[in-house]
Each structure stands twice: as C-alpha cells, then as structure tokens.
Amino acid sequence: MSLSRRAFVRSLGVGSAGALSTPWILGRSGEALNWTPDPFEAVLQASTQQEVIKISGNENARGPGEAAVDAMVKLIRDNVGRYHFNLAREELPEAIARNLGYGLTAENVLISTGSGAILTAGVRAYVSESRPLVNGAPSFGSPNRTASQIGASIREVPVDANLRLDLDGMAEAAIGAGLVFLCNPNNPTATAHSLADVTAFIERVKASSPDTAILVDEAYIEYATDANVETATTQALEHDNVFVARTFSKGYGMAGLRLGYAAARPATLAKLNAAWGLGSVNILTASAAIASLNDPDRMLNEREENRRVRNFTRRAFEEMGYETTDSQTNFLFVNVRQPAAEFRDAALDQGVQVGRDFPPMEQTHARISLGTMEEMERAVEVFRRILET
Ligand SMILES: Cc1ncc(COP(=O)(O)O)c(C=O)c1O
C-alpha cells in the first residue's frame, strides 16, 4: 500500500481530529521508532523527523510576550486556587478600556472567552428569520454559520477587483438587514479599509437603515501598518448597536488562552450579553492580558517582526510571478493560479500546512499564514518547488 505523507499526516490529525494525536507521537521515544518493517511505522518516523510547518490558522508563531508568561507563572505560584473574580471581571475591562483610550471606561468593554463568542452573540442578538446577515465574500465565515443555525438568510457581497470588501455593495445590502459583519482587516483577503472609509460606511448605513446593527471585527488590526487603518471604536461609542470585536489571539499571541472583547455603548453590550453565553475568563488569561497591555514594546516588536516576515514572503511570491493582496494582517492571500486544494496538498506533501478553501475564490487563491522568519524561509523553498515547476 502506498501511503503519502499527506494522507498520513492527516491520519495523525494535524489541524483536525484524527485517529492518532500529536502528543501520542511526541510521547513515543525516538529509540522505539528506530527500525521497523511496518510501512506505517516507517512513515510515522519520517513524520516525526520533519516537523510540519503549520501556517494555516492565522496564529501568532511567537506566542505571548515574556511579561505575560511571567504574570501567569507568578499567579500559579502565589495562589491559583482562589477565584480572584475581580481580576477578570473588573481589573481586565478597566485595563482594556485604559489601553484603548478614546475616553472608554470598563462599562464600554465586554469580555469573552475569545472574540468568536462576541461574533456569535452579535448574530444572535440582531439577526433573525426576518432580519438577514450581511457579510463579504470571502470573509470570516463564523457569523454565516450562526445565521444558518438560526434559520436566517445571508446576503453575501463579493469583494471588489482588489479583493477589498465592497463597502458600497455592503451598504446597499444592509438596508433592512439585522446585522452587517465588517471584517477589517478582512480574513481571508488580508486587505483593510481606512478609518475614514469605515466611518463613512457606518454613517451611510445608520442613515439608510437605522435599525441595522454593525459589527466591525478587528481581530487583525494590530498588524495593520497602513497608518490610515485604525480602530472604529469611536464610531461604536457614537452609535447604538455598533460594536467592535477585538481579540488577544493574534497580535498578543494568546489564542490558546481564549480572550476577546467587544467595545461599544453599555446598552449595546447589554444586548450582546443577553444573547449568548460569553464564557468565564480565567485568572491566568486575565493576568497575561493585563501584563501584555502593560508591555507596549512587545506589541511594537511583534508588529515589526510580522512586517519583516510579511515583506519577505510577499517579495518571494512576487519574484516567482505570483500576486498577493496588500496584506495588513499576519497572513497572505495569494493568487496561486490553481485550486487551493491542489496547492495545499502539494505543500503538505512537503511538510507545510497552509489554509483551507475560501469560496468563492478556492479555484485560484490560497491563504498562507505567517510563521516565524525561519519557518517562512523553509516554506518559501517549498512554494518555489510547487509553483516554479
Ligand atoms: C476575523 C476573525 N474574527 C474572529 C476570530 C476568532 O478569534 P478568537 O475567538 O480566537 O478571538 C478569528 C479567528 O481566526 C478571525 O479570523
């Protein structure tokens, strides 16, 4: 039986629930894997010798800063056995509000175990069978899934020729809708709109369809290097039913710790809070977040390193003759001029795991998250082998 590395890696559950878990592999000693007549075991050895570079999930390859890790370790040592409820419920929203500025107070911040919960709450609060969801296509898909679950329709507005969200088209589609989901920067196209454009969009929708809510998802905004791309928090403070979702999963490197939040007027936050369970943020996460907010240099370094890795990777694709969008994020959206599935399978065969399909662009474009510089140097070699042959 011939067994490709790809099929085997899949069976190991890289990126999905598989028959064998990665810890299971890591738990095996190298010695036990030295020699075997079993072809399955032989592939297993190969897969442990060359680690898969996982650049599929828009994660932060560098993880949280040292201050965040130190804060968690200290808390474990001091007394993690206590509830310390005030840390997550009071100190964290206060720290977030102070850090964001714009005159925000803790009343304007609603925390959740990941910003995904805020998105779910937003759809559940404002979308219904009679009030559709408006989303870009392609854009982040979780609001669409929630809308489908509750039997609501979705007005999908294709991105424009530069793969930017079509704000005019979305404003038209917003008339009579329950909620517009505006992902800025947009996942997966990596493009972003200026604060001036987003403000004009919000004002237009509020004028033409006052009851339509607007969710601006800023999961990747820390990585935006275009100076005109800024948070829409001031807009959320100015209008009812306009809210911004942010996360500590990306720029702050805390995806596994699960922390996100919404910023808005208290009355808007009350509707989100009533619509969906937002979880219970634990004290390790809260302490890591507060320490991160108090360490602005680490975020500056993270942005700068991401920009360096992004420039390197973009240039490599350009040199190979392949177009990428103007990424304002920690991933690239590349016109690989072949189905994403073919490119993905070829990359996985060579130990690099890139993003899934993003309809309606899955016949031409692949999403590639940015890892460390070292990972991207190795990944680019693989991309060269695939795209230049
Ligand atoms: C655009 C966007 N919003 C929200 C999320 C949810 O992130 P989290 O729940 O980790 O905060 C993601 C995750 O990839 C995302 O890409």
Side-chain angles (χ1 to χ4, degrees):
M1 179 182 78
S2 98
L3 179 67
S4 76
R5 174 185 171 77
R6 177 169 76 240
F8 194 76
V9 167
R10 279 208 190 110
S11 80
L12 292 175
V14 173
S16 64
L20 304 174
S21 71
T22 311
W24 180 85
I25 308 165
L26 298 177
R28 302 201 63 175
S29 80
E31 217 178 314
L33 293 169
N34 264 351
W35 182 88
T36 169
D38 179 350
F40 241 85
E41 281 289 308
V43 183
L44 177 61
Q45 284 191 30
S47 77
T48 55
Q49 276 155 19
Q50 192 205 345
E51 206 180 295
V52 172
I53 297 175
K54 187 173 179 289
I55 44 175
S56 52
N58 293 352
E59 294 152 334
N60 179 330
R62 290 163 288 277
E66 232 170 89
V69 175
D70 288 350
M72 288 189 284
V73 170
K74 182 172 182 316
L75 204 53
I76 290 169
R77 292 223 171 95
D78 284 358
N79 193 352
V80 79
R82 303 228 177 240
Y83 283 115
H84 293 290
F85 279 134
N86 63 324
L87 194 62
R89 289 184 189 165
E90 288 165 28
E91 289 179 39
L92 177 59
E94 277 163 17
I96 290 172
R98 242 192 341 268
N99 186 268
L100 265 177
Y102 307 109
L104 248 70
T105 70
E107 309 285 283
N108 301 113
V109 175
L110 180 65
I111 61 167
S112 57
T113 48
S115 66
I118 298 290
L119 274 44
T120 303
V123 175
R124 292 205 169 243
Y126 295 106
V127 173
S128 63
E129 279 180 36
S130 58
R131 303 295 304 264
L133 169 73
V134 176
N135 199 350
S139 187
F140 194 54
S142 107
N144 297 17
R145 284 191 292 279
T146 309
S148 299
Q149 280 166 5
I150 59 180
S153 60
I154 303 159
R155 296 179 183 163
E156 288 189 276
V157 180
V159 292
D160 69 15
N162 295 317
L163 307 194
R164 286 154 55 88
L165 290 174
D166 172 5
L167 295 185
D168 286 338
M170 291 178 80
E172 286 286 311
I175 295 170
L179 175 76
V180 182
F181 178 72
L182 189 75
C183 195
N184 194 52
N186 188 38
N187 180 9
T189 62
T191 55
H193 285 276
S194 67
L195 175 57
D197 286 354
V198 173
T199 301
F201 171 82
I202 291 171
E203 281 166 4
R204 178 172 166 187
V205 172
K206 282 288 147 194
S208 59
S209 188
D211 293 337
T212 300
I214 301 170
L215 161 50
V216 186
D217 182 329
E218 299 181 342
Y220 298 95
I221 203 154
E222 284 87 3
Y223 289 120
T225 46
D226 175 341
N228 297 316
V229 177
E230 290 174 73
T231 177
T233 300
T234 48
Q235 286 302 302
L237 293 184
E238 208 158 295
H239 302 276
D240 279 331
N241 305 320
V242 173
F243 55 109
V244 165
R246 300 280 292 263
T247 181
F248 281 77
S249 294
K250 311 297 176 178
Y252 289 102
M254 289 173 42
L257 289 166
R258 312 306 301 128
L259 179 62
Y261 63 93
R265 288 180 162 185
T268 307
L269 298 181
K271 287 184 195 166
L272 299 178
N273 205 16
W276 189 246
L278 298 175
S280 172
V281 171
N282 73 70
I283 60 167
L284 295 182
T285 299
S287 67
I290 293 169
S292 301
L293 293 170
N294 290 334
D295 183 15
D297 284 352
R298 190 257 162 204
M299 180 55 81
L300 290 177
N301 293 340
E302 170 61 21
R303 276 163 60 91
E304 202 37 52
E305 182 59 8
N306 182 71
R307 184 215 293 257
R308 191 172 80 92
V309 175
R310 188 168 70 197
N311 286 346
F312 163 79
T313 314
R314 263 193 95 179
R315 253 198 316 272
F317 279 109
E318 275 161 20
E319 280 163 21
M320 288 181 248
Y322 288 84
E323 265 177 52
T324 68
T325 56
D326 173 17
S327 172
Q328 295 296 313
T329 63
N330 65 343
F331 54 90
L332 298 182
F333 201 52
V334 187
N335 185 350
V336 288
R337 306 201 290 265
Q338 60 183 280
E342 274 174 30
F343 178 76
R344 183 168 59 243
D345 285 353
L348 194 51
D349 269 340
Q350 299 185 53
V352 176
Q353 187 185 20
V354 301
R356 58 183 174 80
D357 278 357
F358 290 96
M361 308 204 64
E362 78 280 14
Q363 292 306 314
T364 48
H365 284 70
R367 193 192 71 185
I368 296 165
S369 309
L370 298 169
T372 62
M373 184 58 112
E374 197 225 338
E375 285 175 324
M376 296 320 288
E377 281 167 356
R378 283 160 55 202
V380 158
E381 288 311 307
V382 168
F383 300 151
R384 265 190 227 290
R385 281 199 291 274
I386 297 167
L387 295 174
E388 293 185 338
T389 50

